[in-house]
Amino acid sequence: MNNFIHINNLDNLQLTVKEAIDLKTDELKFKSLGEGKTICLLFFNNSLRTRLSTQKAAQNLGMHTIVMNFGSEGWQLEFEDGVVMNENKSEHIKEAAKVISQYCDIVAIRAFASLTDKEKDEAEIVLNNFKKYANVPVLNMESSIGHPLQALADAITIEEYKAVKKPKVVLSWAPHPKALPHAVANSFVEMMQLQGADFVITHPEGYELNPEITKNSVIEYNQEKAFENADFVYVKNWSSYKKYGQVLKTDANWMINTDKMKFTNNAKFMHCLPVRRNVVVADEVIDSENSIVIQQANNRTYSAQIVLKKILENL
Ligand code: SN0
């Protein structure tokens, strides 16, 4: 593998999940693979799990890591061609990407959606320009429209906790005071489609994700009905896609509580974190035995590690 931009960059998701689970039994098994190699992690937005787990993953493979909070510490980058740079942008991506490439063997980027300009967000300007101008492989640590490292960690977690071959998995929208990106939900949907699983998406009307991503996945507007017989409930807020970036509803009825979980088949509760307690999910659910959010976050290391391993093997 060269770049990891999208979950489809893996040639076999199921096999990758198995390889990641194997890694967990001996996480230092490939510690000489990344010897003398460096990864640059560039953050245009906040991070906890992605930053620490990717660093841990790189370390388990013997790599060195350089981290930069680009959003607050870097020069403001210009991404457009032929611009007279006499305003607030100090450096062009053409130089920045080429310079950074000289300091590392892999460059990893986090750049959230603006949620104000759909067209620009969908063009994945930051990620795609790094891909275009960098001379090293590019790793997506959550871009405008996808978070494939999270989706891979989710696939690993479902594989570990499923009790039947084809569990029922529900992706449920939940309320949130802020406008949040679609990236996590998008990649989760794309990952579930690759699994051929029993999969249902539930959200209030008006919160449909990009239909080019949801394709023929089942959408059920009645949350309780969607939860019937669910083995996994994956919860995430996102802002409206149609009315791009808007918060249309903060209805507490969509929050996940014990009463809702009663409709399920004693389902496991999943969330990518960070999560707003008692807005998205009630304490009683996230603190229950059915909550696997901590184990899910642990799998971020092995998701990143298996991806980095594949990129290193191809350098
Ligand atoms: C991000 C998102 O894409 O929804 C990152 C998730 C991995 N989440 C947030 O920005 C939550 C921020 C908040 O204030 O709750």
Side-chain angles (χ1 to χ4, degrees):
M1 195 164 58
N2 190 9
N3 301 305
F4 185 68
I5 304 284
H6 192 273
I7 193 80
N8 286 338
N9 293 139
L10 298 172
D11 29 80
N12 186 329
L13 173 65
Q14 273 80 10
L15 190 63
T16 307
V17 165
K18 297 233 153 62
E19 289 167 351
I21 292 172
D22 273 354
L23 267 184
K24 293 179 80 167
T25 60
D26 184 5
E27 64 178 30
L28 298 180
K29 193 171 170 188
F30 302 100
K31 67 176 191 297
S32 52
L33 187 65
E35 223 172 62
K37 300 278 192 282
T38 300
I39 183 168
C40 272
L41 310 183
L42 308 182
F43 289 92
F44 290 83
N45 308 93
N46 296 350
S47 170
L48 186 162
R49 278 147 290 274
T50 300
R51 175 169 172 160
L52 299 184
S53 66
T54 309
Q55 199 159 346
K56 176 81 191 294
Q59 191 174 304
N60 284 348
L61 292 165
M63 301 182 81
H64 291 284
T65 311
I66 303 174
V67 184
M68 184 169 178
N69 292 320
F70 219 95
S72 54
E73 295 161 3
W75 300 111
Q76 274 222 55
L77 293 184
E78 177 60 65
F79 291 96
E80 271 173 52
D81 256 344
V83 181
V84 178
M85 288 170 57
N86 61 357
E87 288 181 19
N88 56 343
K89 310 277 174 65
S90 315
E91 177 155 25
H92 203 279
I93 181 67
K94 289 185 184 176
E95 288 78 50
K98 289 196 163 65
V99 168
I100 291 164
S101 300
Q102 298 178 116
Y103 305 147
C104 61
D105 303 277
I106 301 174
V107 63
I109 318 262
R110 161 160 288 193
F112 288 174
S114 68
L115 296 177
T116 54
D117 188 330
K118 189 187 227 170
E119 222 172 288
K120 268 197 178 161
D121 285 349
E122 298 205 321
E124 291 280 32
I125 289 174
V126 180
L127 199 65
N128 280 336
N129 277 290
F130 269 98
K131 205 174 126 195
K132 186 168 172 190
Y133 295 115
N135 309 109
V136 295
V138 176
L139 176 66
N140 182 352
M141 298 194 295
E142 188 173 340
S143 65
S144 295
I145 52 179
H147 195 358
L149 284 174
Q150 179 67 50
L152 178 55
D154 300 336
I156 297 167
T157 311
I158 291 172
E159 180 64 29
E160 287 180 324
Y161 283 90
K162 73 181 187 187
V164 289
K165 197 158 185 276
K166 210 176 157 186
K168 176 173 172 182
V169 180
V170 180
L171 168 64
S172 179
W173 181 92
H176 198 286
K178 269 171 60 181
L180 296 191
H182 310 100
V184 171
N186 286 344
S187 291
F188 188 75
V189 169
E190 289 166 327
M191 180 277 287
M192 288 311 300
Q193 287 168 348
L194 288 175
Q195 304 266 25
D198 183 1
F199 178 54
V200 180
I201 308 170
T202 185
H203 53 68
E205 285 187 51
Y207 275 100
E208 291 76 12
L209 293 162
N210 182 353
E212 284 175 31
I213 290 176
T214 51
K215 295 194 179 102
N216 55 2
S217 288
V218 177
I219 297 171
E220 168 58 66
Y221 295 113
N222 182 330
Q223 193 187 34
E224 290 175 0
K225 202 162 163 227
F227 276 27
E228 278 170 20
N229 291 318
D231 298 298
F232 292 89
V233 171
Y234 191 100
V235 181
K236 180 74 185 84
N237 168 271
W238 58 87
S239 54
S240 175
Y241 177 75
K242 265 191 206 158
K243 293 193 173 169
Y244 194 66
Q246 289 187 28
V247 176
L248 308 177
K249 209 177 168 83
T250 47
D251 190 351
N253 284 332
W254 277 79
M255 181 178 79
I256 313 302
N257 57 23
T258 305
D259 284 344
K260 298 256 175 74
M261 292 300 278
K262 281 187 184 140
F263 287 92
T264 70
N265 179 27
N266 195 25
K268 301 289 185 208
F269 171 81
M270 296 177 73
H271 190 285
C272 64
L273 306 181
V275 71
R276 305 268 188 137
R277 281 172 173 257
N278 304 310
V279 175
V280 170
V281 58
D283 285 339
E284 61 196 19
V285 173
I286 192 167
D287 291 330
S288 75
E289 279 195 351
N290 289 38
S291 171
I292 53 172
V293 295
I294 306 300
Q295 297 90 327
Q296 184 183 352
N298 187 40
N299 281 333
R300 292 296 309 278
T301 296
Y302 307 100
S303 159
Q305 197 175 330
I306 198 68
V307 165
L308 288 177
K309 176 175 177 280
K310 287 175 192 289
I311 296 175
L312 285 171
E313 283 166 346
N314 198 45
L315 278 184

